PDB file of all heavy atoms in Angstrom:
ATOM      1  N   TRP A  51     -14.388 -51.557  34.407  1.00 93.00           N
ATOM      2  CA  TRP A  51     -14.467 -52.718  33.428  1.00 93.00           C
ATOM      3  C   TRP A  51     -13.540 -53.803  33.680  1.00 93.00           C
ATOM      4  O   TRP A  51     -13.793 -54.989  33.609  1.00 93.00           O
ATOM      5  CB  TRP A  51     -14.216 -52.063  32.029  1.00 93.00           C
ATOM      6  CG  TRP A  51     -14.161 -53.123  30.932  1.00 93.00           C
ATOM      7  CD1 TRP A  51     -15.236 -53.917  30.537  1.00 93.00           C
ATOM      8  CD2 TRP A  51     -13.018 -53.613  30.201  1.00 93.00           C
ATOM      9  NE1 TRP A  51     -14.821 -54.794  29.599  1.00 93.00           N
ATOM     10  CE2 TRP A  51     -13.520 -54.652  29.289  1.00 93.00           C
ATOM     11  CE3 TRP A  51     -11.729 -53.171  30.126  1.00 93.00           C
ATOM     12  CZ2 TRP A  51     -12.617 -55.232  28.419  1.00 93.00           C
ATOM     13  CZ3 TRP A  51     -10.889 -53.792  29.246  1.00 93.00           C
ATOM     14  CH2 TRP A  51     -11.298 -54.789  28.382  1.00 93.00           C
ATOM     15  N   ALA A  56     -12.962 -59.327  36.126  1.00 85.00           N
ATOM     16  CA  ALA A  56     -12.545 -60.238  37.205  1.00 85.00           C
ATOM     17  C   ALA A  56     -13.702 -60.791  38.027  1.00 85.00           C
ATOM     18  O   ALA A  56     -13.558 -61.442  39.024  1.00 85.00           O
ATOM     19  CB  ALA A  56     -11.567 -59.529  38.186  1.00 85.00           C
ATOM     20  N   THR A 178      12.582  -4.889   5.954  1.00 81.00           N
ATOM     21  CA  THR A 178      12.457  -6.088   6.687  1.00 81.00           C
ATOM     22  C   THR A 178      13.271  -7.136   6.092  1.00 81.00           C
ATOM     23  O   THR A 178      13.548  -7.257   4.899  1.00 81.00           O
ATOM     24  CB  THR A 178      10.833  -6.598   6.443  1.00 81.00           C
ATOM     25  OG1 THR A 178      10.061  -5.464   6.927  1.00 81.00           O
ATOM     26  CG2 THR A 178      10.611  -7.821   7.190  1.00 81.00           C
ATOM     27  N   SER A 368     -12.594  15.436 -25.285  1.00 77.00           N
ATOM     28  CA  SER A 368     -12.743  14.280 -26.312  1.00 77.00           C
ATOM     29  C   SER A 368     -11.253  14.090 -26.899  1.00 77.00           C
ATOM     30  O   SER A 368     -11.256  13.684 -28.118  1.00 77.00           O
ATOM     31  CB  SER A 368     -13.656  14.636 -27.347  1.00 77.00           C
ATOM     32  OG  SER A 368     -14.997  14.941 -26.909  1.00 77.00           O
ATOM     33  N   LYS A 478     -18.692   3.377  16.634  1.00 91.00           N
ATOM     34  CA  LYS A 478     -18.704   4.835  16.130  1.00 91.00           C
ATOM     35  C   LYS A 478     -17.370   4.918  15.258  1.00 91.00           C
ATOM     36  O   LYS A 478     -16.296   4.378  15.671  1.00 91.00           O
ATOM     37  CB  LYS A 478     -18.487   5.750  17.284  1.00 91.00           C
ATOM     38  CG  LYS A 478     -18.320   7.194  16.877  1.00 91.00           C
ATOM     39  CD  LYS A 478     -18.363   8.107  18.081  1.00 91.00           C
ATOM     40  CE  LYS A 478     -18.263   9.658  17.689  1.00 91.00           C
ATOM     41  NZ  LYS A 478     -18.289  10.456  18.866  1.00 91.00           N
ATOM     42  N   ASP A 562      -0.474  -5.476   9.875  1.00 84.00           N
ATOM     43  CA  ASP A 562      -1.142  -5.880   8.563  1.00 84.00           C
ATOM     44  C   ASP A 562      -0.027  -6.004   7.532  1.00 84.00           C
ATOM     45  O   ASP A 562       0.517  -5.131   7.051  1.00 84.00           O
ATOM     46  CB  ASP A 562      -2.143  -4.829   8.232  1.00 84.00           C
ATOM     47  CG  ASP A 562      -2.832  -5.037   6.849  1.00 84.00           C
ATOM     48  OD1 ASP A 562      -2.711  -6.222   6.458  1.00 84.00           O
ATOM     49  OD2 ASP A 562      -3.290  -4.150   6.273  1.00 84.00           O
ATOM     50  N   LEU A 661     -28.511  -9.935  18.162  1.00 74.00           N
ATOM     51  CA  LEU A 661     -27.512 -11.161  18.190  1.00 74.00           C
ATOM     52  C   LEU A 661     -27.920 -12.144  19.309  1.00 74.00           C
ATOM     53  O   LEU A 661     -27.910 -13.305  19.091  1.00 74.00           O
ATOM     54  CB  LEU A 661     -26.094 -10.677  18.394  1.00 74.00           C
ATOM     55  CG  LEU A 661     -25.006 -11.779  18.349  1.00 74.00           C
ATOM     56  CD1 LEU A 661     -25.055 -12.464  16.987  1.00 74.00           C
ATOM     57  CD2 LEU A 661     -23.644 -11.141  18.691  1.00 74.00           C
TER      58      LEU A 661
END
Side-chain angles (χ1 to χ4, degrees):
W51 174 66
T178 305
S368 299
K478 181 177 182 178
D562 176 18
L661 184 61

